[in-house]
Amino acid sequence: MAEQKKGIRKHEIDNLRNLTVLLLFPVHTLMIWNDFGSRFYIWQGGNRLLSTLIVLINPWFMPLLFVLAGISARYALEKRTVKEFVTERVHKLLVPFAAGMVFLVPFQAFYARKFFDGYAGGLWDHWKYFFTHVTDLTGYDGAFTPGHLWFILFLFLISLISLAFFRLLPYGKLAVSVERLTSVNVLFLFLPVWLMYYLGNFGGFSIGKDLALYLAGYYVLSNDVVLEKLESSGNWMKPLCVCGTAVSFVLYYRFAYYGDLWVNFIGWVSILALLITGRQVLNQRTGFTDYFNHASYPVYILHQSVLVALAYYMVQISSLLPVQILGTGIGSFLLTVLAYHVGKRIPGVRRMIGITS
């Protein structure tokens, strides 16, 4: 939960998190046409324009979730003991991860195997295949993969690892030093984030970078003094984000450039700009906030399996690109929300999709 010391809810944190989760639908829909040199569970060949749209979002949308998780961890640990925090992480993260690995991820790998290999067997035989074959961990060939649940696994591990940092360097001991940082100082924190990218990197998924983002959220971007300085720098920070995003468009669309240094820089700038914008326009409780505060996490867990299954049929039903895109994106959103509403009414399923209360 994103709360200040006195229990005041920071709605911009909730709204940013919820909006970011919803971005998964267009991003994973467009992945069906990516030209990154990789496939997807369902892949229709590379489309440079659609791939460029992914490139504009990809540097920041998952990193932002780790930053927001770090911010939320600071507030959570102000009202919970470490034991309570760990117990909550087990129920909220580890249980849904394990359940999803059994019931959801094999399902999307099943459709990938049908699409690419023409697999005509049943789901049970595929389930056994999934857990006995390990290749590149993408799952695009039907073999074992953590799928989109890599985020939940990483967040669980980072939540535990970070407790050692919090014990050695309590927030209170660093707060005064952190508050001396200028906006430019905070901007240059992209450098350690970038360097940590090479630590524990598994095919582009870096637990080192995600740990750095989580710690930056906890120690720096949860500090209201720092956030006020960033907000006062919005007159140059937000234009920097917009210009950098335009540069990313040109670099990828024209030259297929997606370098690590640039990606980490523009990703970090975008996160700061979004936090500033969130404080200014998203710090309010709405019906959207109330609904997706409960729904966004189950939606995250369920969305990709639903999307992949629907895409398998959509690309066969119509050959028109707009129909395939809109049918997959909008259809998977509606079906995922429906699955959430059904699942939350079944006691055992509730816990498997991350509903703990």
Side-chain angles (χ1 to χ4, degrees), residues 30-100:
L30 296 182
M31 279 293 292
I32 297 167
W33 293 272
N34 84 81
D35 68 350
F36 303 150
S38 173
R39 299 182 295 178
F40 191 56
Y41 297 92
I42 308 298
W43 189 64
Q44 289 293 90
N47 181 301
R48 178 53 56 86
L49 177 59
L50 298 182
S51 299
T52 303
L53 296 178
I54 300 173
V55 166
L56 299 186
I57 300 172
N58 216 41
W60 58 263
F61 87 109
M62 292 305 291
L64 177 60
L65 290 178
F66 282 103
V67 168
L68 296 177
I71 294 172
S72 298
R74 184 200 143 195
Y75 301 125
L77 285 166
E78 287 179 349
K79 63 178 184 177
R80 296 190 183 105
T81 65
V82 170
K83 182 178 179 180
E84 290 171 338
F85 179 78
V86 171
T87 300
E88 188 268 344
R89 295 289 83 186
V90 168
H91 290 298
K92 190 76 173 181
L93 298 174
L94 190 58
V95 170
F97 171 77

Side-chain angles (χ1 to χ4, degrees), residues 4-32:
Q4 298 179 15
K5 281 187 177 183
K6 296 182 180 179
I8 300 173
R9 185 99 180 181
K10 284 195 169 184
H11 298 299
E12 71 270 24
I13 303 301
D14 295 326
N15 287 320
L16 282 170
R17 181 190 298 112
N18 296 337
L19 288 169
T20 302
V21 168
L22 293 182
L23 274 175
L24 289 163
F25 289 96
V27 168
H28 284 158
T29 296
L30 296 182
M31 279 293 292
I32 297 167

Side-chain angles (χ1 to χ4, degrees), residues 67-298:
V67 168
L68 296 177
I71 294 172
S72 298
R74 184 200 143 195
Y75 301 125
L77 285 166
E78 287 179 349
K79 63 178 184 177
R80 296 190 183 105
T81 65
V82 170
K83 182 178 179 180
E84 290 171 338
F85 179 78
V86 171
T87 300
E88 188 268 344
R89 295 289 83 186
V90 168
H91 290 298
K92 190 76 173 181
L93 298 174
L94 190 58
V95 170
F97 171 77
M101 287 301 301
V102 173
F103 297 109
L104 291 176
V105 180
F107 183 69
Q108 62 201 41
F110 168 74
Y111 276 101
R113 195 174 171 200
K114 284 171 67 70
F115 184 81
F116 289 111
D117 300 334
Y119 175 68
L123 189 56
W124 172 246
D125 285 337
H126 168 73
W127 189 88
K128 292 185 287 186
Y129 176 90
F130 178 84
F131 284 105
T132 55
H133 290 75
V134 179
T135 54
D136 59 3
L137 294 180
T138 65
Y140 304 159
D141 55 1
F144 181 83
T145 176
H148 62 296
L149 301 184
W150 71 267
F151 169 73
I152 299 176
L153 176 61
F154 274 27
L155 185 55
F156 177 72
L157 295 174
I158 287 168
S159 296
L160 299 186
I161 294 168
S162 64
L163 291 173
F165 287 88
F166 303 158
R167 184 178 179 84
L168 292 172
L169 293 171
Y171 175 83
K173 288 188 176 181
L174 290 182
V176 174
S177 298
V178 167
E179 288 170 2
R180 295 195 185 103
L181 295 174
T182 67
S183 296
V184 174
N185 295 148
V186 176
L187 178 63
F188 275 93
L189 287 178
F190 89 90
L191 288 170
V193 171
W194 167 49
L195 293 174
M196 288 289 284
Y197 172 75
Y198 300 100
L199 177 64
N201 190 314
F202 303 94
F205 298 95
S206 169
I207 195 168
K209 174 182 174 178
D210 295 333
L211 173 62
L213 291 163
Y214 186 91
L215 294 175
Y218 182 91
Y219 286 114
V220 180
L221 297 177
S222 70
N223 189 297
D224 284 328
V225 174
V226 171
L227 291 172
E228 287 166 7
K229 290 180 182 180
L230 289 173
E231 193 171 353
S232 67
S233 302
N235 60 338
W236 63 265
M237 187 80 72
K238 288 192 281 188
L240 178 62
C241 173
V242 172
C243 292
T245 300
V247 170
S248 292
F249 183 94
V250 173
L251 287 175
Y252 194 82
Y253 187 74
R254 292 291 301 275
F255 309 108
Y257 177 78
Y258 195 65
D260 293 342
L261 176 59
W262 176 255
V263 167
N264 283 281
F265 172 72
I266 191 58
W268 183 248
V269 171
S270 299
I271 288 169
L272 299 182
L274 286 165
L275 288 173
I276 293 169
T277 304
R279 283 172 63 89
Q280 294 171 339
V281 302
L282 295 176
N283 189 19
Q284 55 187 319
R285 178 178 176 177
T286 65
F288 171 87
T289 312
D290 290 339
Y291 179 80
F292 278 103
N293 279 354
H294 298 288
S296 64
Y297 185 48

